[in-house]
Amino acid sequence: MENIKAYVQEHKDRFINELVELLKIPSVSADTAYSHDVFETADAVKASLEKAGCDFVEICETPGYPIVYGEKIIDKSLPTVLVYGHYDVQPPDPMELWTSPPFEPVIKKTEIHPEGAIFARGSCDDKGQMYMHVKALEYMVQSNTLPCNVKFMIEGEEEIGSKSLSWFVERNQEKLKNDVILISDTGMISNQQPSITTGLRGLSYVEVEVTGPNRDLHSGLYGGAVANPINALAKMIASLHDENNHITIPGFYDNVVELSLEERAEMAKAPFNLDNYKKALDLNDVYGESGYVTNERNSIRPTLDVNGIWGGYTGEGAKTVIASKAFAKISMRLVPNQDWEEITELFTKHFTSLAPAGVTVKVKPHHGGQGYVTPIDSIGYKAANMAYTETFGVPAIPVRSGGSIPIVALFEKELKSKTILMGFGLDSDAIHSPNEHFGIFNYLKGIETIPLFYKYFVELSK
Amino acid sequence: MENIKAYVQEHKDRFINELVELLKIPSVSADTAYSHDVFETADAVKASLEKAGCDFVEICETPGYPIVYGEKIIDKSLPTVLVYGHYDVQPPDPMELWTSPPFEPVIKKTEIHPEGAIFARGSCDDKGQMYMHVKALEYMVQSNTLPCNVKFMIEGEEEIGSKSLSWFVERNQEKLKNDVILISDTGMISNQQPSITTGLRGLSYVEVEVTGPNRDLHSGLYGGAVANPINALAKMIASLHDENNHITIPGFYDNVVELSLEERAEMAKAPFNLDNYKKALDLNDVYGESGYVTNERNSIRPTLDVNGIWGGYTGEGAKTVIASKAFAKISMRLVPNQDWEEITELFTKHFTSLAPAGVTVKVKPHHGGQGYVTPIDSIGYKAANMAYTETFGVPAIPVRSGGSIPIVALFEKELKSKTILMGFGLDSDAIHSPNEHFGIFNYLKGIETIPLFYKYFVELSK
């Protein structure tokens, strides 16, 4: 497929400019202040699919943000690939840490991206990776090399739990019928070493509220005599891990699958340099569950992290106050066989029981999703590996990722088909962080690799 | 002194209106955004002292906010009373909990204040209580009953540690020379039972910063593999108290004076109803150091409270992020003989040592002050007690307060004179909280009582 290389070279400036336009729309699904922009982004995605060559595209209303559905059916007897992606993005804050505004994309060269990377919220997660598929379709239509049917399902609530997506999938099983689901919303090891994500962690995300006195109090007149909600919250959070950094919630580990030493040895083969890892994050040391190494702690082991905490006086200077309330957002990453709803219940029961005298505790579940493991002997996996091998010159390594794409488990349950996670991002892309970026190399390489997946998937399906 | 009663009745509307005007200026010293208002308030105080009858008033520049100095010297051979107060106020937030805007004073009736109370930030702490002294002077000058010399020193940095005040006092010992210092910046037991604060707690206020990775990270990709600064901060804060709620900082209690059982029995005589206390705060129970009751925990015992905490994502919805930094404001209330600077060092040393692998910790001291105990056999205390007894019909009860007025210890050291704390506020006035208020009864009663202090102090000094 030399033509795709040439096509990408010929059109790369337009490909970049089109993505830049999409990145300018601040489609932050977590904050209703951006609601209008999220809808506008859906319209832009619809237009791009029509332009790329879909026969039919529609904006599907849901209880939440709409899902953009598009398809090109060339022959009902041929296989069908369902492409999933999301057009919503994470909130950009902390704004002050961005070196350029999150919704004013700029291309900057970095050590890892000598050809330049697009800096903008959503550049990698997931607008950039989603748009690779739109441009890959454009090529296959233009060059008349689309070997099968293709469907697109691009949602706008991935960053807030994909609630409307499950609602939509459950109601459109026939429309979404497919032979394989293709998603680019993960990363690879490096630009020299592609990898395919074969496992994902599940997620349970909750918000807790600790209430003490019915009003803020003067810490001099009341300090020591009433429970301080912030101190209480800190104590409760601290007790969620023991001295070995095991999570102390009763029953939390009951369904966790322990990997065999062989499997762990296989994992250990993936290239990893602890010193570089620490250096990249300016860490004096790593930290985590006893008995596991870094690459296990962030992939095959469940974890609990506070994602946000606030209470009392946080302004300039000093205020001697005992706050009435303290809050925290807490998320747990789960591994296959841990049911996120059960874990959410276990957390709620346990955390509420931790409340000391003088405070009351509320736990509000936000959202969650199941973990997932995909077999590496499937046609889909093989086709993806062949595509990577051809464009990168080396085969892809299967890796377990610590991230969560809850809907992958949903797809398997509702649509009965396997998902292939063809990620082209890098850990250093700073997704969910200030200065998120996506390499030009990665973006174009993705557009170049995806048509090969279609080719080999259809060949292997014969 | 029947005349004072009549004078207050005749002028009470004006007294209230003048205070209301002063309360409209948002003199928040902790937030530089209000800087202009703080200076404006100093000017207003200067004008009020001139109007009340001071011979000489000046705005004294300092490294920070100015100090308003005023005096009326009638006879150098007579005693001199130095009145101290502060014209700055606490930050008003959380704004959303105010039932009326903090700087738009309104008079509302409450159960405790059937005659109405002025609702505004600073109404009690300390503009209202400070202004009682201005109006008391006005009466004594108008009625020609001022029996001695009087000096006023009203500062604008009390809520942020009175840094410039100590600078000023050290440089003006002759100018500030006095026989007794009179302060109304504390409370009394109830409108039926006056009390005089004989002890104050010291204070050490610090801000801590915990830094983990050099940027916010995706909690899926990194969760479990790096130390989370928020979890680490929670763990460190939790470890500052043991299971008996004793503070675990090594050496923290070394200089704490244990009260005798007799002294504790004496304290226990002050009227206190635990059920009402809990009811007033909607608490299911009180909480504090084992071995001490509520009124001891908040007065004769040192404490440690988190006054504010923040880190990570605190906006609407969910963000799966591991923050790079987490912060907390922590204050310790100290008892006599605990040196605040030594305690600040002990805290810093200990807290820094608590940092787990993978995070670094910074401790930034904000400010502090020493505790204080005043003898009840002094002329000043006796004069105050006689004044209360005359206006309230019952003698005042000596009480140890949990609050801190760090400069009281400074005055004793630099000016060699004792301070009498004639407070007219109530615990329910919500100082430092939303809906701070000051009873009209208390305000007028203060104006009525203060001249009697002057009368008896001069008589007892003969």
Side-chain angles (χ1 to χ4, degrees):
Chain A
M1 257 195 185
E2 274 317 297
N3 308 345
I4 174 67
K5 272 194 163 51
Y7 190 84
V8 167
Q9 279 314 308
E10 185 185 344
H11 297 279
K12 69 178 188 194
D13 292 346
R14 176 171 58 84
F15 289 174
I16 291 166
N17 294 337
E18 287 176 14
L19 175 55
V20 162
E21 288 310 307
L22 196 61
L23 292 169
K24 286 180 181 172
I25 319 174
S27 51
V28 179
S29 51
D31 186 343
T32 49
Y34 295 94
S35 176
H36 172 81
D37 304 290
V38 180
F39 283 102
E40 187 185 334
T41 310
D43 295 333
V45 171
K46 174 172 185 281
S48 72
L49 285 170
E50 286 162 339
K51 210 150 140 282
C54 281
D55 308 325
F56 172 74
V57 186
E58 65 177 336
I59 300 244
C60 306
E61 297 310 325
T62 74
Y65 287 119
I67 286 161
V68 183
Y69 175 82
E71 64 177 33
K72 185 169 184 66
I73 308 298
I74 58 172
D75 179 343
K76 285 205 163 356
S77 66
L78 288 170
T80 299
V81 175
L82 173 64
V83 175
Y84 163 86
H86 63 94
Y87 61 81
D88 63 322
V89 301
Q90 278 278 315
D93 50 288
M95 298 291 276
E96 64 275 14
L97 297 184
W98 284 79
T99 55
S100 59
F103 299 110
E104 295 171 26
V106 289
I107 295 174
K108 296 182 231 176
K109 290 184 162 49
T110 74
E111 204 176 313
I112 295 175
H113 299 293
E115 302 170 41
I118 304 174
F119 282 73
R121 167 60 81 228
S123 55
C124 176
D125 178 16
D126 181 48
K127 285 174 175 171
Q129 295 213 71
M130 175 270 291
Y131 206 68
M132 296 183 308
H133 291 268
V134 180
K135 294 297 99 180
L137 173 67
E138 174 190 311
Y139 165 74
M140 291 185 283
V141 171
Q142 294 299 322
S143 59
N144 205 13
T145 54
L146 179 65
C148 62
N149 307 309
V150 56
K151 296 174 178 177
F152 282 82
M153 172 170 59
I154 314 300
E155 72 150 316
E157 296 182 333
E158 197 272 345
E159 302 293 4
I160 53 173
S162 300
K163 283 202 190 53
S164 301
L165 183 77
S166 37
W167 177 92
F168 179 77
V169 170
E170 286 155 14
R171 285 162 180 70
N172 293 278
Q173 305 197 337
E174 187 51 39
K175 172 189 231 163
L176 299 172
K177 205 162 173 311
N178 66 81
D179 299 281
V180 68
I181 297 167
L182 191 57
I183 303 180
S184 296
D185 194 19
T186 50
M188 55 183 184
I189 292 169
S190 76
N191 285 353
Q192 295 69 45
Q193 178 55 67
S195 54
I196 298 171
T197 302
T198 54
L200 291 165
R201 290 197 285 189
L203 176 71
S204 167
Y205 198 112
V206 302
E207 186 164 318
V208 300
E209 174 184 328
V210 177
T211 304
N214 54 8
R215 59 182 170 92
D216 288 3
L217 300 175
H218 185 296
S219 67
L221 303 182
Y222 292 90
V226 300
N228 178 325
I230 301 176
N231 289 76
L233 176 59
K235 199 172 165 183
M236 294 163 74
I237 289 169
S239 77
L240 295 174
H241 291 90
D242 68 14
E243 64 285 4
N244 295 315
N245 276 303
H246 292 303
I247 293 156
T248 56
I249 300 165
F252 185 83
Y253 291 100
D254 285 0
N255 299 321
V256 170
V257 181
E258 293 287 341
L259 268 67
S260 67
L261 289 175
E262 293 65 26
E263 290 173 293
R264 292 175 66 180
E266 189 55 39
M267 278 186 68
K269 288 183 183 155
F272 177 76
N273 180 313
L274 187 59
D275 289 335
N276 293 349
Y277 185 87
K278 287 192 285 187
K279 200 150 145 270
L281 301 173
D282 289 336
L283 295 175
N284 56 28
D285 202 354
V286 291
Y287 182 86
E289 186 180 9
S290 305
Y292 297 90
V293 297
T294 297
N295 277 347
E296 295 172 328
R297 288 166 172 174
N298 64 13
S299 62
I300 62 170
R301 297 299 296 170
T303 58
L304 183 150
D305 274 294
V306 179
N307 302 111
I309 191 166
W310 67 101
Y313 182 67
T314 60
E316 192 188 343
K319 187 171 185 228
T320 51
V321 68
I322 292 176
S324 171
K325 289 176 182 291
F327 304 84
K329 293 174 191 276
I330 300 175
S331 68
M332 288 157 283
R333 295 288 169 169
L334 311 175
V335 294
N337 293 3
Q338 282 185 298
D339 177 77
W340 78 269
E341 291 179 285
E342 184 192 341
I343 292 292
T344 304
E345 274 173 34
L346 290 176
F347 175 91
T348 305
K349 187 158 167 290
H350 178 63
F351 198 76
T352 312
S353 75
L354 295 175
V359 305
T360 56
V361 175
K362 271 192 224 149
V363 176
K364 176 179 138 208
H366 260 299
H367 65 275
Q370 311 295 20
Y372 180 77
V373 184
T374 191
I376 65 174
D377 56 5
S378 69
I379 290 174
Y381 185 88
K382 287 181 187 154
N385 193 17
M386 289 163 75
Y388 276 114
T389 308
E390 187 165 328
T391 48
F392 283 83
V394 288
I397 293 178
V399 297
R400 290 276 295 269
S401 163
S404 304
I405 310 179
I407 43 81
V408 170
L410 170 86
F411 292 158
E412 178 147 32
K413 175 164 165 287
E414 299 292 334
L415 304 177
K416 311 280 178 293
S417 52
K418 288 285 175 195
T419 293
I420 303 303
L421 297 164
M422 283 182 81
F424 292 89
L426 298 178
D427 273 7
S428 54
D429 289 344
I431 65 171
H432 290 216
S433 301
N435 307 312
E436 174 179 357
H437 54 281
F438 189 39
I440 300 291
F441 168 88
N442 306 68
Y443 178 52
L444 300 179
K445 206 71 168 175
I447 299 171
E448 194 183 312
T449 307
I450 290 163
L452 291 166
F453 170 83
Y454 284 75
K455 174 178 169 227
Y456 293 121
F457 182 75
V458 173
E459 286 178 9
L460 294 172
S461 301
K462 280 173 186 153
Chain B
M1 258 196 184
E2 274 317 299
N3 308 344
I4 174 68
K5 272 194 163 48
Y7 189 83
V8 167
Q9 279 314 308
E10 183 184 345
H11 298 278
K12 69 180 188 190
D13 292 347
R14 175 171 58 85
F15 289 173
I16 292 166
N17 294 338
E18 287 175 13
L19 175 55
V20 162
E21 288 310 308
L22 196 61
L23 291 169
K24 286 180 181 173
I25 319 174
S27 50
V28 179
S29 52
D31 186 343
T32 50
Y34 295 94
S35 175
H36 173 80
D37 305 289
V38 180
F39 283 103
E40 187 185 335
T41 310
D43 295 333
V45 171
K46 175 173 186 281
S48 72
L49 284 170
E50 286 163 340
K51 209 148 141 283
C54 281
D55 307 325
F56 170 74
V57 187
E58 64 177 335
I59 300 242
C60 306
E61 297 310 325
T62 75
Y65 288 120
I67 286 160
V68 183
Y69 174 82
E71 63 177 33
K72 186 171 182 66
I73 308 300
I74 59 172
D75 179 345
K76 286 206 163 356
S77 67
L78 288 169
T80 299
V81 175
L82 173 64
V83 175
Y84 163 85
H86 64 93
Y87 62 82
D88 64 321
V89 301
Q90 278 278 316
D93 49 287
M95 297 290 279
E96 64 275 16
L97 296 184
W98 284 78
T99 55
S100 58
F103 299 110
E104 296 171 24
V106 289
I107 295 175
K108 297 182 229 173
K109 289 185 164 44
T110 73
E111 204 175 312
I112 294 175
H113 298 294
E115 301 169 42
I118 304 173
F119 281 72
R121 168 60 81 228
S123 55
C124 176
D125 178 16
D126 180 49
K127 284 174 176 170
Q129 295 212 70
M130 175 271 289
Y131 206 67
M132 297 183 308
H133 291 268
V134 179
K135 295 296 98 180
L137 173 67
E138 173 190 311
Y139 164 74
M140 291 186 283
V141 171
Q142 294 300 322
S143 60
N144 204 14
T145 55
L146 179 66
C148 61
N149 306 309
V150 57
K151 297 174 177 177
F152 283 82
M153 172 170 60
I154 314 301
E155 71 150 317
E157 295 182 335
E158 198 274 341
E159 302 292 4
I160 53 171
S162 301
K163 283 201 189 53
S164 301
L165 183 77
S166 38
W167 178 92
F168 179 75
V169 170
E170 285 156 15
R171 284 163 182 71
N172 293 278
Q173 305 197 336
E174 188 51 38
K175 173 189 228 160
L176 300 171
K177 206 163 173 310
N178 66 80
D179 299 282
V180 69
I181 297 166
L182 191 57
I183 303 179
S184 296
D185 195 18
T186 50
M188 57 183 183
I189 291 169
S190 76
N191 285 354
Q192 296 69 44
Q193 179 55 68
S195 54
I196 298 171
T197 303
T198 55
L200 292 165
R201 290 197 286 190
L203 176 72
S204 168
Y205 198 113
V206 301
E207 186 164 319
V208 301
E209 174 184 329
V210 177
T211 305
N214 54 8
R215 58 180 171 93
D216 288 3
L217 300 175
H218 185 296
S219 68
L221 303 182
Y222 292 90
V226 300
N228 178 323
I230 301 176
N231 290 75
L233 176 59
K235 198 172 168 185
M236 293 163 75
I237 289 169
S239 77
L240 295 174
H241 290 91
D242 67 16
E243 64 283 6
N244 296 313
N245 276 302
H246 292 302
I247 293 156
T248 57
I249 300 166
F252 185 82
Y253 291 99
D254 286 359
N255 299 321
V256 169
V257 181
E258 292 287 343
L259 267 66
S260 68
L261 289 175
E262 292 67 25
E263 291 172 292
R264 292 175 66 179
E266 191 54 38
M267 278 186 69
K269 288 183 183 156
F272 177 75
N273 181 313
L274 187 59
D275 290 335
N276 295 348
Y277 185 87
K278 287 192 287 188
K279 201 150 148 266
L281 301 173
D282 289 336
L283 295 174
N284 56 28
D285 203 354
V286 290
Y287 183 85
E289 187 180 8
S290 304
Y292 297 89
V293 297
T294 297
N295 276 347
E296 295 172 327
R297 289 167 170 171
N298 64 13
S299 62
I300 62 169
R301 298 298 297 170
T303 59
L304 183 150
D305 274 294
V306 180
N307 302 110
I309 191 165
W310 67 103
Y313 182 66
T314 59
E316 190 188 344
K319 187 172 184 222
T320 51
V321 67
I322 291 175
S324 171
K325 289 175 182 290
F327 303 84
K329 293 174 192 274
I330 299 175
S331 68
M332 289 157 281
R333 296 285 168 169
L334 311 175
V335 295
N337 293 3
Q338 282 184 298
D339 177 76
W340 79 269
E341 292 179 285
E342 186 193 340
I343 292 293
T344 304
E345 274 172 36
L346 290 176
F347 175 91
T348 305
K349 187 160 169 288
H350 178 63
F351 198 78
T352 312
S353 75
L354 295 175
V359 304
T360 55
V361 175
K362 271 193 223 148
V363 177
K364 175 179 137 209
H366 259 300
H367 65 276
Q370 311 295 19
Y372 180 76
V373 184
T374 192
I376 66 173
D377 57 5
S378 69
I379 290 174
Y381 185 88
K382 287 179 186 154
N385 193 16
M386 289 163 76
Y388 276 113
T389 308
E390 187 165 329
T391 49
F392 284 83
V394 289
I397 292 178
V399 296
R400 291 276 296 266
S401 162
S404 304
I405 310 179
I407 42 79
V408 170
L410 170 86
F411 291 159
E412 178 148 30
K413 176 163 165 286
E414 299 292 335
L415 303 176
K416 312 279 178 292
S417 53
K418 289 284 174 195
T419 294
I420 303 303
L421 298 164
M422 283 182 81
F424 292 89
L426 298 178
D427 273 7
S428 55
D429 290 345
I431 65 170
H432 291 216
S433 301
N435 306 312
E436 174 179 358
H437 55 282
F438 189 38
I440 301 291
F441 168 88
N442 306 69
Y443 178 50
L444 301 178
K445 207 67 167 176
I447 298 171
E448 193 184 314
T449 307
I450 290 162
L452 290 166
F453 170 82
Y454 283 74
K455 173 175 171 236
Y456 294 121
F457 183 73
V458 174
E459 285 179 10
L460 293 172
S461 301
K462 279 172 185 157

